Amino acid sequence: MGLRLEPRLAPSARWQAVSVAVALLAALAVSALLLESAGTDVGVAFAAILDGAFGGLRTTAKTLAKATPMILTGLAITVAFRAKVWNIGAEGQLFAGAMASYWLYTLTGPALGMALLPLLFAAGFVGGGLYGGLAGWLRSAFRVNEVLTTVMLNYVILYLLSFLLVGPWRDQSSFYQQSERIDRAAWLPDLWAPGKLHLGFLVAILAAVAIHVVMNRSWFGYEVKAVGLNARAARFKGINVERTAVAVMVLSGGLAGLAGMIQVFGVNHRLESDISLGFGFTGIIIAVLAMLRPGWVVFVAILFGGFENGGIKMQVATGAPSAIVSAIEAITLLFFLTAAALTRFRIVWRST
Amino acid sequence: MQPFLKVDQVTKRFHKVVANDRVSFDVMPGEIHCLLGENGAGKSTIAECIYGFYKPDEGTITVQGNPAGLTSPRDAIARGIGMVHQHFVLVSSMTVLENIVIGTDAARPILDLKAAAARIREIGRRYDVDIDLEARIWQLPVGQQQWVEILKALFQGARLLIMDEPTAVLTPQEARRLFQIFREMTADGLSVILISHKFDDVMQSDRVTVLRRAKVIGTVNTRETTKEALTNMMVGRSVELRVKRDEHPRGAPVLEVRDLRAANDFGTEKLSGIDLTVHRGEIVGIAGVAGNGQGELFEALIGARKTRGGSIRLDGADITGRSPAEIQRMGMGYIPDDRFADGLVGDYDIQSNLILGHHRREPFARRGLLQFRAIRDFARKAIEELEIKAPSETTRTRSLSGGNAQKVIVAREFAQATKVILANQPSRGLDVGVIEYMHERLLEKRRNDFGILLASEELDELLGLADRIVVIFKGRILGEFAAGTADIERIGLLMAGQETAGKAEEIS
């Protein structure tokens, strides 16, 4: 006797909608319990989260700015996971992109002004892309598991950053491990200054559109998905599975690298380890919740951006620790993953 | 005499699909009873009901006059029903004895292997099955692994043995030996339910129950019927069993394989020097028991498996070591044996699978972007031409039946190939109608001067289609026969590795 999972023959759209709704409600309920147990007024807390996230134009703009790097890392993961290449290293690739663009900036200085921006974007993409490509190449050439390499490369790049920030790139005037402040001339221009919404958001949206087109309209995306769905059949029909994996890691790393560059030149305005609050890892959650669809990645990332801002507001309003917000995010993820599994399988009680 | 087993009005549904619709038949003691039907006719479902794996929605199953009320295979075994599945359930690193005793009542915390061994030897003597109980499963040929399964069922006290496609993996000689064992058993009052679609097997049974579309069409005495009559019942129309292979002059060599060597994924040598030539306008058949290197040979030919030596020439050009993409561009098409694992991207729809391999080319792609209109038009044409049964071109191939999935692959490969078609077990698991269609299309390609290399476990298929038949055994070609001179007996012996058998009239 026992519980077994049996695949559903045809997951219906209605069932999918129902399960997502149920997951959302269940996540809310459990989150409410958590807040309650922390001695927080649940109603006040939820209202504060909502208000802090989307309560007005300015807060919404701030939420979009917060979401920007997560859109890009979410897209990075989406591309990789579509090919069943398990890139857990978007965090490291983000830093690689940030460092590459900062390196270019140290070479040119701010003199070029706006003309420098495209170059900085390119540097961010190339830096992250090369770093991701390294793991892809190790996988394809030597069959090294990319989960291990990408995770370990996260540490490698962080220590390299640490070394550079106490060495050649150190801000001599500061006690902290950080670079000098970037000249205002090289900052990403604001889209809407009061909301601190910068050009990076537009770039992230454009990237989402581009990835959508690549994945769904181009032969490259067709090959990526074919490799992910059935690598054997893809290989038999002439698709170079190894080369595709490398290309996917370059693209994935490049997107994460863009996020790093955007944080340095749009938000922090200097190179420091604080440019990422684990966006590379949050990207995994976002991509999975978005079921690896670029359009949904944007949506989910904005929700997560809202959570970040709303969490701060909730903390102020109720005194509950902001860690609860992370817990709520995790709870939501668990329920959604369960819902996703239940749309494809059903639980059967059978005696054996 | 009371039947050992009586199946009465059994209905089994899966969701909305009715797999068995009021199925009734009975099995007498000492009878070999054959269940005949096309794929999806409900043979396996009813067998699994009798074995207690599925619970019928309606109807009763009676064993020796008592309603069985089976809820699990354990119940079935307790009532004397054993089943040997098509894919054996044996632990290959353990001995024959251990495999037989495992999971039985004899497997108490403290094993009394000696007593068990004595009983198994006794059973073996009785039915003339001679097997080394201390041998490990992996050391045994497939035919003997099957005996282990049978012994296990008998050891558990089976009075009725359900055999699912038992001869699929056997040489003709091994199959004959198996039926001898069945006869020894039935002489002892035991019964056999034989699930098969091979007429060589069917005709050796006592009675045949024919299933079509979940229903029993009828039960007949084997002695009083013919292949043709049974086919008629099975398909619902008369079918030309022999394909018409007209004379066609063969042309220049188009595929030349010399001393080809390759290993499987674990590094074990599976091809030990294959020599093979296929000419234009010729079908060369490869006979052999599954696992003798056929899969590795085809993969090496399409460039998906590294070779360790030898050469492959396609229309004169050396393609050894080239990539699958290059080899396909040069005109090779491949119909793999495992349709869903090797031939299709199951979660892609029909149209996406139809362009696989040509997806970068005009008119399917332009400037890097897929041209969905051209893709759809191509797919609709293929669906119409090949009569692929599917709601639309955007139906996922995973949801297609084996026959329709095969048609998608055939449509694609026939559209892409220009010189050579490789087909590995192209009719495995397909209905008569689709097989007929496959054969016609292969012969049509032969008329169009393609070179065709066809591997099949069905000797009848090879005898009907091939201009020449070669036998593969342990990665070597053992013999070669021209269509007219091929003799099932000698092919069978070569399939079992008896090298001298084919020598006498081997042609070169």
Side-chain angles (χ1 to χ4, degrees), chain B residues 257 271-277 284-287 292 297 453 469-480 494 499 503 506:
Chain B
V257 181
L271 299 181
S272 313
I274 295 275
D275 284 298
L276 194 64
T277 304
V284 174
I286 301 180
N292 275 291
L297 173 61
L453 187 62
I469 297 175
V470 299
V471 181
I472 192 169
F473 178 77
K474 290 200 172 161
R476 250 185 259 273
I477 299 292
L478 286 194
E480 181 176 324
L494 286 174
E499 213 154 334
K503 284 278 156 66
E506 204 173 310

Side-chain angles (χ1 to χ4, degrees), chain A residues 26 28 38 104 125 142 161 165 200-201 259 271 295 320 324 328 347 349:
Chain A
L28 277 177
L104 180 68
F125 187 91
F142 306 106
L161 176 72
L165 289 181
F201 178 70
L271 186 64
I324 280 188
I328 292 175
I347 299 175
W349 175 263

Side-chain angles (χ1 to χ4, degrees), chain B residues 323-387:
Chain B
S323 73
E326 284 174 290
I327 291 173
Q328 284 176 44
R329 209 172 303 135
M330 294 168 76
M332 186 112 81
Y334 176 44
I335 300 169
D337 57 338
D338 192 332
R339 295 183 263 281
F340 289 100
D342 298 352
L344 295 169
V345 178
D347 284 319
Y348 266 176
D349 55 17
I350 294 176
Q351 58 178 6
S352 299
N353 271 292
L354 281 170
I355 61 164
L356 190 55
H358 274 187
H359 56 273
R360 289 192 190 188
R361 297 196 189 180
E362 302 246 8
F364 304 134
R366 265 192 207 121
R367 277 170 273 117
L369 293 183
L370 296 173
Q371 303 299 314
F372 288 103
R373 181 165 303 174
I375 293 169
R376 191 193 59 202
D377 291 347
F378 176 74
R380 286 191 178 162
K381 224 173 83 195
I383 289 171
E384 198 186 303
E385 257 173 38
L386 279 84
E387 292 173 21

